[in-house]
Amino acid sequence: MPIRQMKESSEQHLVIKNHLQNTMNSVQRAPKTAQNGKGPPQSHESHNTKQPHNQASPPSKNRGRRRGRGGKKSDQLDVCMRPSSRPCTVAHKPVNQASNGSIQNGHGSSGMEMGFPTSSKSLNFAPRPGYGQVGTKCIVKANHFFAELPDKDLNQYDVTITPEVASRTVNRAIIAELVRLYKESDLGMRLPAYDGRKSLYTAGELPFAWKEFTIKLVAEEDGINGPKREREYKVVLKFVARANMYHLGQFLAGKRADAPQEALQILDIVLRELSSKRYCPIGRSFFSPDIRAPQRLGDGLESWCGFYQSIRPTQMGLSLNIDMASAAFIEPLPVIEFVAQLLGKDVLSRPLSDSDRVKIKKALRGVKVEVTHRGNVRRKYRVSGLTSQPTRELVFPVDDNSTMKSVVEYFQEMYSFTIQHAHLPCLQVGNQKKANYLPMEACKIVEGQRYTKRLNERQITALLKVTCQRPRDRENDILQTVQNNAYDQDPYAKEFGIKISEKLASVDARILPAPWLKYHETGKEKDCLPQVGQWNMMNKKMINGMTVSRWACINFSRSVQESVARGFCNELAQMCQVSGMEFNPEPVIPIYSAKPEQVEKALKHVYHASMNRTKGKELELLLAILPDNNGSLYGDLKRICETDLGLISQCCLTKHVFKISKQYLANVALKINVKMGGRNTVLLDAISCRIPLVSDIPTIIFGADVTHPENGEDSSPSIAAVVASQDWPEVTKYAGLVCAQAHRQELIQDLYKTWQDPVRGTVSGGMIRDLLISFRKATGQKPLRIIFYRDGVSEGQFYQVLLYELDAIRKACASLEPNYQPLVTFIVVQKRHHTRLFANNHRDRSSTDKSGNILPGTVVDSKICHPTEFDFYLCSHAGIQGTSRPAHYHVLWDENNFTADGIQSLTNNLCYTYARCTRSVSVVPPAYYAHLAAFRARFYMEPEMQDNSSTGGGTKAAGESGVKPLPALKENVKRVMFYC
């Protein structure tokens, strides 16, 4: 797929069309109803009252203005408008002509023709419109610690070390030696902080602007015969810049919009300096076996406990975010013990098979080992491979005359070391041109090496047990970490004048009310108010239960007899009926048993046999019973069904077939219904048209995510997924599209694209465009508002992603119809952050859920949030185990002029519409669905693509991007929530 370059060009510009004077000055709202749990708010006819603006901030002058949507319809959007029987009406808006002007984001934007900025310098994120007021007020504690701003000048010096050194550890050792030797003389008593690369920082100026130092370090050679010797380095320090602390103070006070990244980076490095010396630094975290005793994970791995640390700008000023962390490390075992654990068998007496050798080579390549056969001399080497022959067969030249000597003889003569297990291969260390042999029994794995490859299921389970902490325990560990770090005694913090509080930040929060949910009128309970983030399907029927007339079952599990499978299918069919679906109790053909290795043949047999029985009518649903440990079977089945046969499938594991649980069957029924195109429940406010900035005009809600290959896979593609709501005003059903793109590319390449067709000329396409068209076909309306939830974007990528993807959205809209520019709100959803919220009083059971976590609906938009931008933390779910992680929502672009209450309540309410369970979820469903769709699409990659992904083969194809496209989803699949 072509990869569009981010560059300043005419193509990157677009025109954002004239605003419209909004004649709908009022948003339909129902009168306030006390939500006391006794009954849902009544569906009165909506009163035309003004939308309440945020009390903490005056309304924008131009709130309610809209863009021009006139112009001739294109063929793509020229879909016949069906008479709508829906309760929500759309007001037509006259075009308001205006002259050219400049752009501002969202609030206070002028109704003029505007050019979208082409670089981050001309782009401002949405400002905070005020603070939310809805909900029950409460206090929570956050793992943020107030950091007092230093009043000293912070100076940056460039560091040049000659000869150049690749290792940060060696760089740090060089600078540490320089400081030891010259602190009291040439450095003028300054204690600098160093980033391990090219920058050194001081509080106040050094006595010079440029100076060269000569530093001698004792180094260990990576050669077997080489003695330790001194290495000499030239170090040049050169003054570069002074960090503007006034600028930082203004930013934290909310008086400047642009963050002084240099000053923040310096303070972060200063506070990490001491921990970098004490612990093993990995990313922004620090680990040590001394913090807590390591726990074995199996196969030669163990978990180390540690802590995450980052300085953050917040409304309360500078804040130090501290959280607990765990990671997998390679256990510092003798290599033979490691190999025995890895293979799970005795390796001392039996020879290794070829598969054993491959497994060992894969596990040890790149790992540092130290020799143990030389007494106190502990040379370290990095493993580059494994010999193909056993040690007893290895010989090498010992002189220029090619006199050969065996490895066994060499170690005996040179070190008086007798190799006991000569049937094992040797480790190869060094490079390919000059590889040295080391017997396994003479080596031990060096401590402190993080394991970066994929963990197996057993290891993941063991690691989760270690990391899963109840909120009170996690809070205590965080406080203990802050005390152990003793920032008040930290010489670097003292040097730079940074003071860190030892108390968790107390933060004002609100608990948003749960929304009323609507179920079918034929059920005993027609609506439901969830309690503490959960409810159940008892006495309720799906609001739109679908009909399944033609279905079949295929059984891949040898241990499940046909009678057992038939009994399970009967129970599932009954549950679907009880839940509100019409489900034929009899399959089209008898249950078909097949071997997992013949999945494609079996699926095609069932497909064609069913078609023959129904005289050409499509099979609506395929049930599949899988073994509990099924390897690639699940992925193969989904790929064949969804991209080849066009079958909707529901897989069930053997353990659930034998142990038939009503709760399990109810959840499977929910999944089947949405896969068939139904709805399980909808928000009562949605069908009553009471959701601000959703119910007033046709609104489409998008979710987007990109999943990247695992560590170690250096060429396999990233997978992008976009889902979009296909119903309005319900906003509950989502269609999804997926595509492959360049390795680790975060920008979604296929949001909008054009290509040349020999007959039609320039053709437009892309995921946004296709989903807008499908929304129009499904609802008879074209979306006049877009809400775009984007998952998985780090703070450093905000500008880039917004620039590229908002541009693609605009172009997709304009390609459908001239002047078609619906208003866009672009929100980033983050789960991979380290902010945790705790109950103010853990003993107060009314302020926590059963797991001891804060209550679902808890929202925070002050104190620990951004000084000026529009962000908030929302814990929308009830905890099950461990400490709940709130989602962090950052509104980057807002042309719809949402209030804080508006976007927070919408997001929280949507979390109760997730189709797969009767619980509110932790991430807004469109973003959750996009993640599921992207994960599903990785199964669509052809087997050779996956097998060769780590070696660079199999993913390339002719074309500009060099990424082999995924097989297309069948039309009937992409229209429904196949990924559920």
Side-chain angles (χ1 to χ4, degrees), residues 637-665:
L637 184 145
K638 292 296 183 182
R639 173 175 54 82
I640 295 162
C641 285
E642 291 161 6
T643 67
D644 185 6
L645 301 177
L647 280 177
I648 301 298
S649 59
Q650 176 60 52
C651 295
C652 304
L653 293 177
T654 298
K655 61 184 177 183
H656 297 305
V657 172
F658 280 121
K659 184 186 175 184
I660 299 177
S661 151
K662 294 289 184 187
Q663 182 64 59
Y664 172 76
L665 292 176

Side-chain angles (χ1 to χ4, degrees), residues 470-677:
R470 293 181 70 84
R472 183 184 298 190
D473 297 334
R474 194 182 195 98
E475 181 185 327
N476 289 337
D477 279 0
I478 289 169
L479 288 168
Q480 188 63 51
T481 297
V482 172
Q483 288 176 12
N484 291 344
N485 288 350
Y487 295 103
D488 57 333
Q489 303 297 318
D490 183 337
Y492 297 94
K494 279 185 175 180
E495 172 81 10
F496 284 78
I498 304 171
K499 295 178 182 176
I500 306 295
S501 167
E502 290 194 350
K503 291 183 179 178
L504 291 158
S506 285
V507 185
D508 291 329
R510 290 167 289 115
I511 302 168
L512 301 179
W516 280 91
L517 303 176
K518 185 76 180 79
Y519 282 92
H520 200 274
E521 291 294 321
T522 57
K524 288 183 182 177
E525 293 183 22
K526 299 170 180 57
D527 35 55
C528 165
L529 182 63
Q531 300 297 318
V532 197
Q534 50 193 314
W535 64 103
N536 58 51
M537 285 294 293
M538 286 178 63
N539 301 322
K540 304 175 192 69
K541 289 188 182 293
M542 300 157 175
I543 191 162
N544 295 119
M546 298 303 286
T547 298
V548 178
S549 303
R550 301 180 300 278
W551 62 277
C553 177
I554 186 166
N555 177 15
F556 288 104
S557 178
R558 290 193 183 100
S559 58
V560 176
Q561 302 296 321
E562 186 181 347
S563 58
V564 175
R566 196 162 52 243
F568 174 78
C569 290
N570 288 339
E571 292 279 349
L572 181 57
Q574 285 179 30
M575 179 58 75
C576 288
Q577 290 169 346
V578 168
S579 301
M581 295 179 69
E582 288 186 26
F583 203 103
N584 184 348
E586 292 299 321
V588 170
I589 60 172
I591 294 171
Y592 183 76
S593 295
K595 295 178 180 177
E597 56 271 20
Q598 295 178 342
V599 57
E600 185 166 6
K601 181 181 174 183
L603 288 172
K604 288 183 176 178
H605 169 80
V606 169
Y607 176 78
H608 292 300
S610 300
M611 290 277 279
N612 291 337
R613 183 66 61 89
T614 58
K615 297 179 181 176
K617 290 183 180 178
E618 294 281 341
L619 199 60
E620 293 167 333
L621 176 68
L622 176 71
L623 297 178
I625 298 172
L626 309 185
D628 293 333
N629 298 310
N630 55 73
S632 65
L633 175 59
Y634 176 84
D636 290 340
L637 184 145
K638 292 296 183 182
R639 173 175 54 82
I640 295 162
C641 285
E642 291 161 6
T643 67
D644 185 6
L645 301 177
L647 280 177
I648 301 298
S649 59
Q650 176 60 52
C651 295
C652 304
L653 293 177
T654 298
K655 61 184 177 183
H656 297 305
V657 172
F658 280 121
K659 184 186 175 184
I660 299 177
S661 151
K662 294 289 184 187
Q663 182 64 59
Y664 172 76
L665 292 176
N667 284 344
V668 173
L670 294 176
K671 294 175 69 171
I672 289 173
N673 190 51
V674 295
K675 286 179 182 180
M676 302 308 297

Side-chain angles (χ1 to χ4, degrees), residues 238-375:
K238 178 186 175 184
F239 177 78
V240 175
R242 185 173 292 112
N244 192 333
M245 299 308 292
Y246 176 75
H247 180 174
L248 178 57
Q250 291 288 97
F251 170 72
L252 293 171
K255 296 176 182 177
R256 290 189 67 142
D258 55 322
Q261 294 299 338
E262 298 81 7
L264 290 169
Q265 184 182 1
I266 293 170
L267 296 175
D268 202 43
I269 289 167
V270 169
L271 289 171
R272 293 170 59 80
E273 187 72 24
L274 189 60
S275 293
S276 295
K277 290 178 166 61
R278 285 179 178 172
Y279 307 116
C280 174
I282 293 172
R284 289 188 173 275
S285 298
F286 301 93
F287 297 93
S288 169
D290 301 325
I291 294 176
R292 194 187 299 159
Q295 301 291 312
R296 282 197 162 181
L297 302 178
D299 295 355
L301 302 185
E302 63 183 10
S303 69
W304 280 21
C305 187
F307 63 93
Y308 167 93
Q309 173 182 300
S310 175
I311 197 97
R312 298 188 61 79
T314 65
Q315 291 170 35
M316 69 177 183
L318 276 181
S319 148
L320 191 65
N321 181 202
I322 301 279
D323 191 25
M324 303 315 294
S326 288
F329 281 74
I330 302 170
E331 209 172 337
L333 297 168
V335 169
I336 282 190
E337 279 188 41
F338 175 85
V339 168
Q341 276 202 33
L342 182 70
L343 300 180
K345 64 182 183 182
D346 176 24
V347 295
L348 300 181
S349 56
R350 281 182 281 177
L352 300 178
S353 66
D354 288 343
S355 61
D356 289 340
R357 203 182 303 275
V358 169
K359 194 172 183 181
I360 296 167
K361 185 177 179 180
K362 199 173 178 182
L364 286 176
R365 183 183 284 157
V367 173
K368 268 191 178 179
V369 296
E370 60 184 9
V371 296
T372 57
H373 64 287
R374 298 182 60 189

Side-chain angles (χ1 to χ4, degrees), residues 13-31:
H13 288 269
L14 70 156
V15 176
I16 298 181
K17 296 299 177 183
N18 300 340
H19 275 236
L20 302 175
Q21 181 63 43
N22 185 4
T23 57
M24 271 181 78
N25 289 324
S26 57
V27 176
Q28 297 167 324
R29 296 186 77 247

Side-chain angles (χ1 to χ4, degrees), residues 868-934:
T868 59
E869 292 168 11
F870 191 1
D871 71 324
F872 58 93
Y873 291 94
L874 172 63
C875 182
S876 51
H877 66 298
I880 298 175
Q881 60 179 359
T883 303
S884 295
R885 188 198 311 242
H888 186 206
Y889 295 90
H890 208 122
V891 183
L892 299 188
W893 191 260
D894 182 23
E895 294 164 349
N896 290 295
N897 293 339
F898 272 99
T899 63
D901 280 330
I903 197 65
Q904 290 167 12
S905 294
L906 172 64
T907 303
N908 185 58
N909 291 351
L910 286 174
C911 290
Y912 286 79
T913 66
Y914 185 64
R916 304 208 303 180
C917 60
T918 52
R919 297 176 67 94
S920 59
V921 288
S922 60
V923 173
V924 69
Y928 205 144
Y929 294 146
H931 178 78
L932 291 176

Side-chain angles (χ1 to χ4, degrees), residues 95 449 492 551 686 768 828 831 868:
V95 176
Q449 297 180 78
Y492 297 94
W551 62 277
I768 294 290
V828 166
K831 281 287 282 183
T868 59

